PDB file of all heavy atoms in Angstrom:
ATOM      1  N   ILE A1144      -5.970   5.381 -12.002  1.00  0.00           N
ATOM      2  CA  ILE A1144      -5.871   3.936 -12.178  1.00  0.00           C
ATOM      3  C   ILE A1144      -7.049   3.311 -11.439  1.00  0.00           C
ATOM      4  O   ILE A1144      -7.337   3.693 -10.300  1.00  0.00           O
ATOM      5  CB  ILE A1144      -4.547   3.398 -11.609  1.00  0.00           C
ATOM      6  CG1 ILE A1144      -3.361   3.978 -12.387  1.00  0.00           C
ATOM      7  CG2 ILE A1144      -4.499   1.876 -11.651  1.00  0.00           C
ATOM      8  CD1 ILE A1144      -2.010   3.578 -11.830  1.00  0.00           C
ATOM      9  N   PRO A1145      -7.768   2.373 -12.034  1.00  0.00           N
ATOM     10  CA  PRO A1145      -8.934   1.785 -11.368  1.00  0.00           C
ATOM     11  C   PRO A1145      -8.542   0.869 -10.222  1.00  0.00           C
ATOM     12  O   PRO A1145      -8.047  -0.246 -10.434  1.00  0.00           O
ATOM     13  CB  PRO A1145      -9.641   1.013 -12.493  1.00  0.00           C
ATOM     14  CG  PRO A1145      -8.588   0.746 -13.514  1.00  0.00           C
ATOM     15  CD  PRO A1145      -7.623   1.884 -13.429  1.00  0.00           C
ATOM     16  N   ALA A1146      -8.754   1.329  -9.001  1.00  0.00           N
ATOM     17  CA  ALA A1146      -8.412   0.523  -7.826  1.00  0.00           C
ATOM     18  C   ALA A1146      -9.304  -0.702  -7.710  1.00  0.00           C
ATOM     19  O   ALA A1146      -8.937  -1.681  -7.052  1.00  0.00           O
ATOM     20  CB  ALA A1146      -8.533   1.378  -6.563  1.00  0.00           C
ATOM     21  N   GLY A1147     -10.460  -0.665  -8.344  1.00  0.00           N
ATOM     22  CA  GLY A1147     -11.391  -1.788  -8.271  1.00  0.00           C
ATOM     23  C   GLY A1147     -10.982  -2.974  -9.105  1.00  0.00           C
ATOM     24  O   GLY A1147     -11.614  -4.033  -9.006  1.00  0.00           O
ATOM     25  N   ALA A1148      -9.948  -2.838  -9.935  1.00  0.00           N
ATOM     26  CA  ALA A1148      -9.418  -3.969 -10.702  1.00  0.00           C
ATOM     27  C   ALA A1148      -8.208  -4.537  -9.967  1.00  0.00           C
ATOM     28  O   ALA A1148      -7.370  -3.788  -9.475  1.00  0.00           O
ATOM     29  CB  ALA A1148      -9.018  -3.527 -12.105  1.00  0.00           C
ATOM     30  N   LYS A1149      -8.121  -5.850  -9.920  1.00  0.00           N
ATOM     31  CA  LYS A1149      -6.949  -6.492  -9.312  1.00  0.00           C
ATOM     32  C   LYS A1149      -5.936  -6.717 -10.440  1.00  0.00           C
ATOM     33  O   LYS A1149      -5.810  -7.820 -10.994  1.00  0.00           O
ATOM     34  CB  LYS A1149      -7.342  -7.794  -8.624  1.00  0.00           C
ATOM     35  CG  LYS A1149      -6.252  -8.347  -7.706  1.00  0.00           C
ATOM     36  CD  LYS A1149      -6.773  -9.528  -6.907  1.00  0.00           C
ATOM     37  CE  LYS A1149      -5.693 -10.148  -6.043  1.00  0.00           C
ATOM     38  NZ  LYS A1149      -5.257  -9.265  -4.942  1.00  0.00           N
ATOM     39  N   ALA A1150      -5.247  -5.638 -10.789  1.00  0.00           N
ATOM     40  CA  ALA A1150      -4.329  -5.632 -11.920  1.00  0.00           C
ATOM     41  C   ALA A1150      -2.891  -5.578 -11.432  1.00  0.00           C
ATOM     42  O   ALA A1150      -2.587  -4.961 -10.397  1.00  0.00           O
ATOM     43  CB  ALA A1150      -4.611  -4.440 -12.828  1.00  0.00           C
ATOM     44  N   GLY A1151      -2.000  -6.222 -12.190  1.00  0.00           N
ATOM     45  CA  GLY A1151      -0.601  -6.279 -11.793  1.00  0.00           C
ATOM     46  C   GLY A1151       0.015  -4.914 -11.568  1.00  0.00           C
ATOM     47  O   GLY A1151       0.734  -4.697 -10.587  1.00  0.00           O
ATOM     48  N   GLY A1152      -0.260  -3.965 -12.466  1.00  0.00           N
ATOM     49  CA  GLY A1152       0.326  -2.638 -12.365  1.00  0.00           C
ATOM     50  C   GLY A1152      -0.048  -1.902 -11.096  1.00  0.00           C
ATOM     51  O   GLY A1152       0.727  -1.073 -10.596  1.00  0.00           O
ATOM     52  N   ASN A1153      -1.225  -2.205 -10.533  1.00  0.00           N
ATOM     53  CA  ASN A1153      -1.646  -1.552  -9.291  1.00  0.00           C
ATOM     54  C   ASN A1153      -0.687  -1.843  -8.145  1.00  0.00           C
ATOM     55  O   ASN A1153      -0.545  -1.048  -7.213  1.00  0.00           O
ATOM     56  CB  ASN A1153      -3.042  -2.025  -8.876  1.00  0.00           C
ATOM     57  CG  ASN A1153      -4.135  -1.492  -9.778  1.00  0.00           C
ATOM     58  OD1 ASN A1153      -3.854  -1.007 -10.873  1.00  0.00           O
ATOM     59  ND2 ASN A1153      -5.373  -1.614  -9.348  1.00  0.00           N
ATOM     60  N   TYR A1154      -0.037  -2.985  -8.207  1.00  0.00           N
ATOM     61  CA  TYR A1154       0.769  -3.429  -7.081  1.00  0.00           C
ATOM     62  C   TYR A1154       2.163  -2.817  -7.063  1.00  0.00           C
ATOM     63  O   TYR A1154       2.944  -3.075  -6.133  1.00  0.00           O
ATOM     64  CB  TYR A1154       0.805  -4.961  -7.042  1.00  0.00           C
ATOM     65  CG  TYR A1154      -0.528  -5.480  -6.536  1.00  0.00           C
ATOM     66  CD1 TYR A1154      -1.628  -5.537  -7.392  1.00  0.00           C
ATOM     67  CD2 TYR A1154      -0.711  -5.815  -5.209  1.00  0.00           C
ATOM     68  CE1 TYR A1154      -2.868  -5.953  -6.929  1.00  0.00           C
ATOM     69  CE2 TYR A1154      -1.941  -6.222  -4.734  1.00  0.00           C
ATOM     70  CZ  TYR A1154      -3.022  -6.293  -5.595  1.00  0.00           C
ATOM     71  OH  TYR A1154      -4.264  -6.678  -5.128  1.00  0.00           O
ATOM     72  N   LEU A1155       2.476  -1.971  -8.040  1.00  0.00           N
ATOM     73  CA  LEU A1155       3.669  -1.134  -7.899  1.00  0.00           C
ATOM     74  C   LEU A1155       3.513  -0.212  -6.701  1.00  0.00           C
ATOM     75  O   LEU A1155       4.460   0.021  -5.941  1.00  0.00           O
ATOM     76  CB  LEU A1155       3.892  -0.327  -9.180  1.00  0.00           C
ATOM     77  CG  LEU A1155       4.370  -1.121 -10.390  1.00  0.00           C
ATOM     78  CD1 LEU A1155       4.333  -0.248 -11.642  1.00  0.00           C
ATOM     79  CD2 LEU A1155       5.774  -1.661 -10.165  1.00  0.00           C
ATOM     80  N   SER A1156       2.300   0.305  -6.505  1.00  0.00           N
ATOM     81  CA  SER A1156       2.007   1.125  -5.332  1.00  0.00           C
ATOM     82  C   SER A1156       2.191   0.314  -4.060  1.00  0.00           C
ATOM     83  O   SER A1156       2.840   0.752  -3.094  1.00  0.00           O
ATOM     84  CB  SER A1156       0.574   1.660  -5.421  1.00  0.00           C
ATOM     85  OG  SER A1156       0.158   2.249  -4.203  1.00  0.00           O
ATOM     86  N   GLY A1157       1.639  -0.902  -4.041  1.00  0.00           N
ATOM     87  CA  GLY A1157       1.761  -1.754  -2.868  1.00  0.00           C
ATOM     88  C   GLY A1157       3.200  -2.118  -2.545  1.00  0.00           C
ATOM     89  O   GLY A1157       3.583  -2.214  -1.375  1.00  0.00           O
ATOM     90  N   GLN A1158       4.028  -2.305  -3.594  1.00  0.00           N
ATOM     91  CA  GLN A1158       5.437  -2.620  -3.357  1.00  0.00           C
ATOM     92  C   GLN A1158       6.144  -1.483  -2.632  1.00  0.00           C
ATOM     93  O   GLN A1158       6.928  -1.711  -1.702  1.00  0.00           O
ATOM     94  CB  GLN A1158       6.138  -2.889  -4.691  1.00  0.00           C
ATOM     95  CG  GLN A1158       5.749  -4.199  -5.356  1.00  0.00           C
ATOM     96  CD  GLN A1158       6.434  -4.359  -6.698  1.00  0.00           C
ATOM     97  OE1 GLN A1158       7.649  -4.253  -6.799  1.00  0.00           O
ATOM     98  NE2 GLN A1158       5.648  -4.622  -7.727  1.00  0.00           N
ATOM     99  N   LEU A1159       5.877  -0.250  -3.050  1.00  0.00           N
ATOM    100  CA  LEU A1159       6.507   0.899  -2.401  1.00  0.00           C
ATOM    101  C   LEU A1159       6.101   0.977  -0.929  1.00  0.00           C
ATOM    102  O   LEU A1159       6.932   1.237  -0.057  1.00  0.00           O
ATOM    103  CB  LEU A1159       6.117   2.185  -3.121  1.00  0.00           C
ATOM    104  CG  LEU A1159       6.674   2.370  -4.533  1.00  0.00           C
ATOM    105  CD1 LEU A1159       6.011   3.556  -5.218  1.00  0.00           C
ATOM    106  CD2 LEU A1159       8.190   2.546  -4.508  1.00  0.00           C
ATOM    107  N   ILE A1160       4.832   0.742  -0.671  1.00  0.00           N
ATOM    108  CA  ILE A1160       4.307   0.823   0.696  1.00  0.00           C
ATOM    109  C   ILE A1160       4.907  -0.281   1.564  1.00  0.00           C
ATOM    110  O   ILE A1160       5.375  -0.042   2.685  1.00  0.00           O
ATOM    111  CB  ILE A1160       2.773   0.739   0.668  1.00  0.00           C
ATOM    112  CG1 ILE A1160       2.182   1.972  -0.036  1.00  0.00           C
ATOM    113  CG2 ILE A1160       2.204   0.591   2.080  1.00  0.00           C
ATOM    114  CD1 ILE A1160       0.745   1.786  -0.488  1.00  0.00           C
ATOM    115  N   ALA A1161       4.919  -1.511   1.036  1.00  0.00           N
ATOM    116  CA  ALA A1161       5.416  -2.645   1.816  1.00  0.00           C
ATOM    117  C   ALA A1161       6.917  -2.557   2.051  1.00  0.00           C
ATOM    118  O   ALA A1161       7.405  -2.810   3.165  1.00  0.00           O
ATOM    119  CB  ALA A1161       5.065  -3.957   1.103  1.00  0.00           C
ATOM    120  N   ARG A1162       7.668  -2.190   1.015  1.00  0.00           N
ATOM    121  CA  ARG A1162       9.122  -2.153   1.162  1.00  0.00           C
ATOM    122  C   ARG A1162       9.564  -1.013   2.085  1.00  0.00           C
ATOM    123  O   ARG A1162      10.525  -1.158   2.839  1.00  0.00           O
ATOM    124  CB  ARG A1162       9.778  -2.035  -0.221  1.00  0.00           C
ATOM    125  CG  ARG A1162       9.602  -3.296  -1.064  1.00  0.00           C
ATOM    126  CD  ARG A1162      10.270  -3.160  -2.432  1.00  0.00           C
ATOM    127  NE  ARG A1162      11.715  -3.168  -2.287  1.00  0.00           N
ATOM    128  CZ  ARG A1162      12.455  -4.277  -2.245  1.00  0.00           C
ATOM    129  NH1 ARG A1162      11.885  -5.464  -2.314  1.00  0.00           N
ATOM    130  NH2 ARG A1162      13.765  -4.208  -2.140  1.00  0.00           N
ATOM    131  N   GLU A1163       8.853   0.114   2.046  1.00  0.00           N
ATOM    132  CA  GLU A1163       9.162   1.193   2.979  1.00  0.00           C
ATOM    133  C   GLU A1163       8.927   0.735   4.412  1.00  0.00           C
ATOM    134  O   GLU A1163       9.752   0.983   5.305  1.00  0.00           O
ATOM    135  CB  GLU A1163       8.300   2.420   2.677  1.00  0.00           C
ATOM    136  CG  GLU A1163       8.541   3.574   3.650  1.00  0.00           C
ATOM    137  CD  GLU A1163       7.599   4.746   3.405  1.00  0.00           C
ATOM    138  OE1 GLU A1163       6.370   4.518   3.354  1.00  0.00           O
ATOM    139  OE2 GLU A1163       8.096   5.873   3.262  1.00  0.00           O
ATOM    140  N   ALA A1164       7.806   0.040   4.644  1.00  0.00           N
ATOM    141  CA  ALA A1164       7.500  -0.436   5.994  1.00  0.00           C
ATOM    142  C   ALA A1164       8.569  -1.399   6.492  1.00  0.00           C
ATOM    143  O   ALA A1164       9.047  -1.283   7.630  1.00  0.00           O
ATOM    144  CB  ALA A1164       6.128  -1.105   6.003  1.00  0.00           C
ATOM    145  N   ARG A1165       8.972  -2.342   5.647  1.00  0.00           N
ATOM    146  CA  ARG A1165       9.992  -3.307   6.060  1.00  0.00           C
ATOM    147  C   ARG A1165      11.319  -2.599   6.342  1.00  0.00           C
ATOM    148  O   ARG A1165      12.014  -2.939   7.293  1.00  0.00           O
ATOM    149  CB  ARG A1165      10.209  -4.375   4.981  1.00  0.00           C
ATOM    150  CG  ARG A1165       8.984  -5.132   4.533  1.00  0.00           C
ATOM    151  CD  ARG A1165       8.316  -5.970   5.605  1.00  0.00           C
ATOM    152  NE  ARG A1165       7.350  -6.888   5.024  1.00  0.00           N
ATOM    153  CZ  ARG A1165       6.101  -6.586   4.702  1.00  0.00           C
ATOM    154  NH1 ARG A1165       5.646  -5.360   4.925  1.00  0.00           N
ATOM    155  NH2 ARG A1165       5.299  -7.489   4.191  1.00  0.00           N
ATOM    156  N   ARG A1166      11.654  -1.628   5.504  1.00  0.00           N
ATOM    157  CA  ARG A1166      12.919  -0.903   5.678  1.00  0.00           C
ATOM    158  C   ARG A1166      12.954  -0.171   7.014  1.00  0.00           C
ATOM    159  O   ARG A1166      14.007  -0.030   7.648  1.00  0.00           O
ATOM    160  CB  ARG A1166      13.106   0.085   4.528  1.00  0.00           C
ATOM    161  CG  ARG A1166      14.464   0.787   4.523  1.00  0.00           C
ATOM    162  CD  ARG A1166      14.635   1.658   3.294  1.00  0.00           C
ATOM    163  NE  ARG A1166      13.781   2.828   3.306  1.00  0.00           N
ATOM    164  CZ  ARG A1166      12.735   3.011   2.493  1.00  0.00           C
ATOM    165  NH1 ARG A1166      12.404   2.087   1.598  1.00  0.00           N
ATOM    166  NH2 ARG A1166      12.003   4.109   2.571  1.00  0.00           N
ATOM    167  N   LEU A1167      11.793   0.282   7.466  1.00  0.00           N
ATOM    168  CA  LEU A1167      11.702   1.027   8.717  1.00  0.00           C
ATOM    169  C   LEU A1167      11.466   0.125   9.923  1.00  0.00           C
ATOM    170  O   LEU A1167      11.323   0.613  11.045  1.00  0.00           O
ATOM    171  CB  LEU A1167      10.576   2.065   8.611  1.00  0.00           C
ATOM    172  CG  LEU A1167      10.788   3.155   7.551  1.00  0.00           C
ATOM    173  CD1 LEU A1167       9.553   4.048   7.446  1.00  0.00           C
ATOM    174  CD2 LEU A1167      12.030   3.987   7.859  1.00  0.00           C
ATOM    175  N   GLY A1168      11.404  -1.194   9.676  1.00  0.00           N
ATOM    176  CA  GLY A1168      11.268  -2.133  10.776  1.00  0.00           C
ATOM    177  C   GLY A1168       9.851  -2.480  11.169  1.00  0.00           C
ATOM    178  O   GLY A1168       9.634  -3.052  12.243  1.00  0.00           O
ATOM    179  N   PHE A1169       8.877  -2.164  10.311  1.00  0.00           N
ATOM    180  CA  PHE A1169       7.475  -2.480  10.588  1.00  0.00           C
ATOM    181  C   PHE A1169       7.046  -3.732   9.832  1.00  0.00           C
ATOM    182  O   PHE A1169       7.640  -4.098   8.811  1.00  0.00           O
ATOM    183  CB  PHE A1169       6.575  -1.302  10.203  1.00  0.00           C
ATOM    184  CG  PHE A1169       6.780  -0.073  11.044  1.00  0.00           C
ATOM    185  CD1 PHE A1169       7.621   0.941  10.615  1.00  0.00           C
ATOM    186  CD2 PHE A1169       6.148   0.064  12.267  1.00  0.00           C
ATOM    187  CE1 PHE A1169       7.830   2.071  11.378  1.00  0.00           C
ATOM    188  CE2 PHE A1169       6.346   1.197  13.052  1.00  0.00           C
ATOM    189  CZ  PHE A1169       7.195   2.200  12.606  1.00  0.00           C
ATOM    190  N   GLY A1170       5.976  -4.341  10.310  1.00  0.00           N
ATOM    191  CA  GLY A1170       5.464  -5.536   9.658  1.00  0.00           C
ATOM    192  C   GLY A1170       4.717  -5.257   8.383  1.00  0.00           C
ATOM    193  O   GLY A1170       4.707  -6.086   7.463  1.00  0.00           O
ATOM    194  N   GLU A1171       4.067  -4.096   8.295  1.00  0.00           N
ATOM    195  CA  GLU A1171       3.312  -3.728   7.093  1.00  0.00           C
ATOM    196  C   GLU A1171       3.039  -2.236   7.093  1.00  0.00           C
ATOM    197  O   GLU A1171       3.098  -1.577   8.145  1.00  0.00           O
ATOM    198  CB  GLU A1171       1.994  -4.506   7.038  1.00  0.00           C
ATOM    199  CG  GLU A1171       1.212  -4.377   5.738  1.00  0.00           C
ATOM    200  CD  GLU A1171       1.961  -4.818   4.494  1.00  0.00           C
ATOM    201  OE1 GLU A1171       3.001  -4.173   4.179  1.00  0.00           O
ATOM    202  OE2 GLU A1171       1.540  -5.788   3.846  1.00  0.00           O
ATOM    203  N   GLY A1172       2.756  -1.712   5.904  1.00  0.00           N
ATOM    204  CA  GLY A1172       2.432  -0.307   5.756  1.00  0.00           C
ATOM    205  C   GLY A1172       0.951  -0.089   5.523  1.00  0.00           C
ATOM    206  O   GLY A1172       0.249  -0.968   5.008  1.00  0.00           O
ATOM    207  N   ILE A1173       0.474   1.076   5.909  1.00  0.00           N
ATOM    208  CA  ILE A1173      -0.914   1.500   5.698  1.00  0.00           C
ATOM    209  C   ILE A1173      -0.885   2.729   4.809  1.00  0.00           C
ATOM    210  O   ILE A1173      -0.118   3.665   5.050  1.00  0.00           O
ATOM    211  CB  ILE A1173      -1.603   1.830   7.032  1.00  0.00           C
ATOM    212  CG1 ILE A1173      -1.718   0.573   7.898  1.00  0.00           C
ATOM    213  CG2 ILE A1173      -2.979   2.449   6.797  1.00  0.00           C
ATOM    214  CD1 ILE A1173      -2.192   0.844   9.316  1.00  0.00           C
ATOM    215  N   ALA A1174      -1.719   2.719   3.774  1.00  0.00           N
ATOM    216  CA  ALA A1174      -1.729   3.823   2.821  1.00  0.00           C
ATOM    217  C   ALA A1174      -2.927   4.735   3.039  1.00  0.00           C
ATOM    218  O   ALA A1174      -4.013   4.284   3.416  1.00  0.00           O
ATOM    219  CB  ALA A1174      -1.759   3.289   1.392  1.00  0.00           C
ATOM    220  N   LEU A1175      -2.712   6.018   2.805  1.00  0.00           N
ATOM    221  CA  LEU A1175      -3.803   6.979   2.748  1.00  0.00           C
ATOM    222  C   LEU A1175      -4.238   7.132   1.290  1.00  0.00           C
ATOM    223  O   LEU A1175      -3.449   6.942   0.362  1.00  0.00           O
ATOM    224  CB  LEU A1175      -3.354   8.333   3.298  1.00  0.00           C
ATOM    225  CG  LEU A1175      -2.802   8.358   4.722  1.00  0.00           C
ATOM    226  CD1 LEU A1175      -2.426   9.785   5.108  1.00  0.00           C
ATOM    227  CD2 LEU A1175      -3.783   7.767   5.716  1.00  0.00           C
ATOM    228  N   ALA A1176      -5.491   7.499   1.101  1.00  0.00           N
ATOM    229  CA  ALA A1176      -5.980   7.843  -0.234  1.00  0.00           C
ATOM    230  C   ALA A1176      -5.467   9.231  -0.595  1.00  0.00           C
ATOM    231  O   ALA A1176      -4.880   9.941   0.236  1.00  0.00           O
ATOM    232  CB  ALA A1176      -7.500   7.798  -0.249  1.00  0.00           C
ATOM    233  N   SER A1177      -5.703   9.660  -1.820  1.00  0.00           N
ATOM    234  CA  SER A1177      -5.266  10.990  -2.258  1.00  0.00           C
ATOM    235  C   SER A1177      -5.954  12.101  -1.482  1.00  0.00           C
ATOM    236  O   SER A1177      -5.490  13.235  -1.454  1.00  0.00           O
ATOM    237  CB  SER A1177      -5.528  11.156  -3.754  1.00  0.00           C
ATOM    238  OG  SER A1177      -6.920  11.040  -4.029  1.00  0.00           O
ATOM    239  N   THR A1178      -7.064  11.763  -0.809  1.00  0.00           N
ATOM    240  CA  THR A1178      -7.796  12.713   0.032  1.00  0.00           C
ATOM    241  C   THR A1178      -7.135  12.912   1.391  1.00  0.00           C
ATOM    242  O   THR A1178      -7.528  13.797   2.146  1.00  0.00           O
ATOM    243  CB  THR A1178      -9.218  12.194   0.274  1.00  0.00           C
ATOM    244  OG1 THR A1178      -9.132  10.897   0.889  1.00  0.00           O
ATOM    245  CG2 THR A1178      -9.995  12.077  -1.039  1.00  0.00           C
ATOM    246  N   GLY A1179      -6.166  12.063   1.727  1.00  0.00           N
ATOM    247  CA  GLY A1179      -5.571  12.090   3.053  1.00  0.00           C
ATOM    248  C   GLY A1179      -6.299  11.227   4.063  1.00  0.00           C
ATOM    249  O   GLY A1179      -5.881  11.142   5.218  1.00  0.00           O
ATOM    250  N   LEU A1180      -7.370  10.568   3.636  1.00  0.00           N
ATOM    251  CA  LEU A1180      -8.127   9.663   4.501  1.00  0.00           C
ATOM    252  C   LEU A1180      -7.603   8.243   4.333  1.00  0.00           C
ATOM    253  O   LEU A1180      -6.891   7.923   3.367  1.00  0.00           O
ATOM    254  CB  LEU A1180      -9.616   9.734   4.154  1.00  0.00           C
ATOM    255  CG  LEU A1180     -10.259  11.116   4.309  1.00  0.00           C
ATOM    256  CD1 LEU A1180     -11.659  11.128   3.717  1.00  0.00           C
ATOM    257  CD2 LEU A1180     -10.287  11.531   5.775  1.00  0.00           C
ATOM    258  N   LEU A1181      -7.954   7.360   5.255  1.00  0.00           N
ATOM    259  CA  LEU A1181      -7.454   5.995   5.218  1.00  0.00           C
ATOM    260  C   LEU A1181      -7.918   5.269   3.964  1.00  0.00           C
ATOM    261  O   LEU A1181      -9.069   5.415   3.524  1.00  0.00           O
ATOM    262  CB  LEU A1181      -7.929   5.221   6.450  1.00  0.00           C
ATOM    263  CG  LEU A1181      -7.274   5.574   7.786  1.00  0.00           C
ATOM    264  CD1 LEU A1181      -7.810   4.649   8.876  1.00  0.00           C
ATOM    265  CD2 LEU A1181      -5.763   5.456   7.702  1.00  0.00           C
ATOM    266  N   SER A1182      -7.015   4.464   3.407  1.00  0.00           N
ATOM    267  CA  SER A1182      -7.340   3.642   2.253  1.00  0.00           C
ATOM    268  C   SER A1182      -7.234   2.166   2.641  1.00  0.00           C
ATOM    269  O   SER A1182      -8.207   1.552   3.056  1.00  0.00           O
ATOM    270  CB  SER A1182      -6.428   3.973   1.066  1.00  0.00           C
ATOM    271  OG  SER A1182      -6.718   3.148  -0.044  1.00  0.00           O
ATOM    272  N   GLU A1183      -6.037   1.585   2.532  1.00  0.00           N
ATOM    273  CA  GLU A1183      -5.847   0.168   2.808  1.00  0.00           C
ATOM    274  C   GLU A1183      -4.374  -0.089   3.085  1.00  0.00           C
ATOM    275  O   GLU A1183      -3.542   0.820   3.035  1.00  0.00           O
ATOM    276  CB  GLU A1183      -6.316  -0.675   1.621  1.00  0.00           C
ATOM    277  CG  GLU A1183      -5.584  -0.367   0.324  1.00  0.00           C
ATOM    278  CD  GLU A1183      -6.094  -1.152  -0.867  1.00  0.00           C
ATOM    279  OE1 GLU A1183      -6.930  -2.058  -0.676  1.00  0.00           O
ATOM    280  OE2 GLU A1183      -5.661  -0.860  -1.993  1.00  0.00           O
ATOM    281  N   GLY A1184      -4.031  -1.347   3.380  1.00  0.00           N
ATOM    282  CA  GLY A1184      -2.639  -1.721   3.528  1.00  0.00           C
ATOM    283  C   GLY A1184      -1.985  -1.913   2.175  1.00  0.00           C
ATOM    284  O   GLY A1184      -2.603  -1.694   1.124  1.00  0.00           O
ATOM    285  N   ALA A1185      -0.738  -2.351   2.190  1.00  0.00           N
ATOM    286  CA  ALA A1185      -0.024  -2.575   0.935  1.00  0.00           C
ATOM    287  C   ALA A1185      -0.759  -3.570   0.052  1.00  0.00           C
ATOM    288  O   ALA A1185      -0.802  -3.422  -1.167  1.00  0.00           O
ATOM    289  CB  ALA A1185       1.390  -3.068   1.221  1.00  0.00           C
ATOM    290  N   GLY A1186      -1.341  -4.586   0.667  1.00  0.00           N
ATOM    291  CA  GLY A1186      -2.111  -5.564  -0.091  1.00  0.00           C
ATOM    292  C   GLY A1186      -3.237  -6.147   0.724  1.00  0.00           C
ATOM    293  O   GLY A1186      -3.657  -7.281   0.492  1.00  0.00           O
ATOM    294  N   GLU A1187      -3.737  -5.376   1.696  1.00  0.00           N
ATOM    295  CA  GLU A1187      -4.782  -5.863   2.599  1.00  0.00           C
ATOM    296  C   GLU A1187      -5.810  -4.758   2.848  1.00  0.00           C
ATOM    297  O   GLU A1187      -5.481  -3.580   2.803  1.00  0.00           O
ATOM    298  CB  GLU A1187      -4.177  -6.258   3.960  1.00  0.00           C
ATOM    299  CG  GLU A1187      -2.968  -7.175   3.898  1.00  0.00           C
ATOM    300  CD  GLU A1187      -1.655  -6.405   3.778  1.00  0.00           C
ATOM    301  OE1 GLU A1187      -1.677  -5.149   3.846  1.00  0.00           O
ATOM    302  OE2 GLU A1187      -0.602  -7.063   3.610  1.00  0.00           O
ATOM    303  N   ASN A1188      -7.018  -5.172   3.139  1.00  0.00           N
ATOM    304  CA  ASN A1188      -8.029  -4.220   3.580  1.00  0.00           C
ATOM    305  C   ASN A1188      -7.903  -3.973   5.076  1.00  0.00           C
ATOM    306  O   ASN A1188      -7.253  -4.722   5.798  1.00  0.00           O
ATOM    307  CB  ASN A1188      -9.435  -4.721   3.249  1.00  0.00           C
ATOM    308  CG  ASN A1188      -9.730  -4.692   1.763  1.00  0.00           C
ATOM    309  OD1 ASN A1188     -10.173  -5.680   1.199  1.00  0.00           O
ATOM    310  ND2 ASN A1188      -9.511  -3.551   1.120  1.00  0.00           N
ATOM    311  N   LEU A1189      -8.549  -2.923   5.534  1.00  0.00           N
ATOM    312  CA  LEU A1189      -8.333  -2.402   6.882  1.00  0.00           C
ATOM    313  C   LEU A1189      -9.662  -2.272   7.615  1.00  0.00           C
ATOM    314  O   LEU A1189     -10.668  -1.832   7.049  1.00  0.00           O
ATOM    315  CB  LEU A1189      -7.673  -1.026   6.754  1.00  0.00           C
ATOM    316  CG  LEU A1189      -7.037  -0.368   7.972  1.00  0.00           C
ATOM    317  CD1 LEU A1189      -5.853  -1.201   8.457  1.00  0.00           C
ATOM    318  CD2 LEU A1189      -6.569   1.039   7.585  1.00  0.00           C
TER     319      LEU A1189
END
């Protein structure tokens, strides 16, 4: 999926990240890329 497009479907990933963080009591989640290296937050850059 092209991460460089700000497309609605991309934010299904962000929803999973954000909702998991809230469920665990955190303010926001941070995602890794498929490489295991840092990517971005649920909807924010890092």
Side-chain angles (χ1 to χ4, degrees):
I1144 296 176
K1149 193 172 177 68
N1153 289 16
Y1154 285 79
L1155 288 171
S1156 169
Q1158 289 177 53
L1159 292 170
I1160 294 162
R1162 292 180 70 86
E1163 178 185 52
R1165 305 297 193 277
R1166 186 175 70 250
L1167 296 175
F1169 294 96
E1171 189 58 297
I1173 295 171
L1175 303 181
S1177 61
T1178 58
L1180 300 170
L1181 287 183
S1182 178
E1183 59 183 352
E1187 310 88 5
N1188 289 129
L1189 194 64

